[in-house]
Amino acid sequence: MTREEAERIAAPMMLQYRQQYERGDPLGLIQAMRHAIMWSLPVPDWASEHALKAIEFYYTENGGAPGRGKTGSLRAKAKRDRIDRWRHRAADRELAMRQYGIIGGSKEAAFQRASDSLKHTPAQGEPRQIKRSYAKVEKSFKQNSDQ
């Protein structure tokens, strides 16, 4: 197979992997890198920075990275992103129930109900934290739809 053929075949797959990654699924990045290597293609531009970070992460202190919180490792970022998506789902459900008149109350009450539903889970948090996670995920959806 020529490089041109490989690029033509890989193009729709790479687009799919990019969309998957931008929706918050890191498997899209992994698949894009795997196919690029397997077919001797360059890593796509959208994945190159993330691929470099992943490689650096792997080689830093036996898979760890210095710092915690926002300056922490990719593992910590993935965990925060997963919690944000979990909180978003809970808040989105409560806001939809409010919007369609199933449950009344203000938006703040919806975030309170979402907070209550997440108690004793890794995604638990105060209503303000649920609201912040909701806004963060909504912003990422908007950015992805604008592209």
Side-chain angles (χ1 to χ4, degrees):
M1 174 181 328
T2 67
R3 181 175 174 151
E4 290 76 24
E5 290 172 328
E7 287 176 345
R8 184 174 40 79
I9 293 168
M13 295 169 72
M14 293 299 184
L15 177 61
Q16 181 182 8
Y17 296 145
R18 180 180 187 169
Q19 291 169 344
Q20 181 180 357
Y21 180 73
E22 290 175 346
R23 285 191 310 266
D25 185 355
L27 188 57
L29 174 65
I30 294 165
Q31 290 288 60
M33 290 173 45
R34 186 172 76 79
H35 278 96
I37 292 166
M38 188 170 67
W39 293 343
S40 300
L41 297 172
V43 173
D45 291 340
W46 63 268
S48 61
E49 179 182 340
H50 303 291
L52 180 59
K53 285 181 182 178
I55 291 167
E56 289 173 349
F57 171 77
Y58 180 79
Y59 284 103
T60 303
E61 296 183 21
N62 196 24
R68 297 187 185 276
K70 292 185 179 183
T71 62
S73 66
L74 292 178
R75 185 181 309 134
K77 182 184 181 321
K79 182 179 177 184
R80 284 191 312 274
D81 290 345
R82 189 171 49 251
I83 287 171
D84 285 337
R85 289 191 308 272
W86 193 346
R87 289 174 174 176
H88 178 272
R89 281 191 303 272
D92 197 45
R93 180 186 63 240
E94 295 298 334
L95 289 168
M97 289 173 42
R98 175 187 173 270
Q99 179 181 356
Y100 293 110
I102 298 169
I103 295 178
S106 65
K107 282 186 176 182
E108 282 68 30
F111 288 115
Q112 179 64 55
R113 287 191 304 272
S115 174
D116 293 344
S117 74
L118 294 171
K119 287 212 186 308
H120 308 295
T121 71
Q124 72 182 356
E126 295 296 319
R128 64 182 166 72
Q129 295 168 312
I130 307 298
K131 187 175 183 178
R132 189 177 314 128
S133 290
Y134 179 83
K136 181 179 175 183
V137 173
E138 283 293 310
K139 182 180 176 183
S140 75
F141 286 163
K142 184 178 180 338
Q143 287 173 344
N144 291 339
S145 68
D146 290 345
Q147 293 178 357

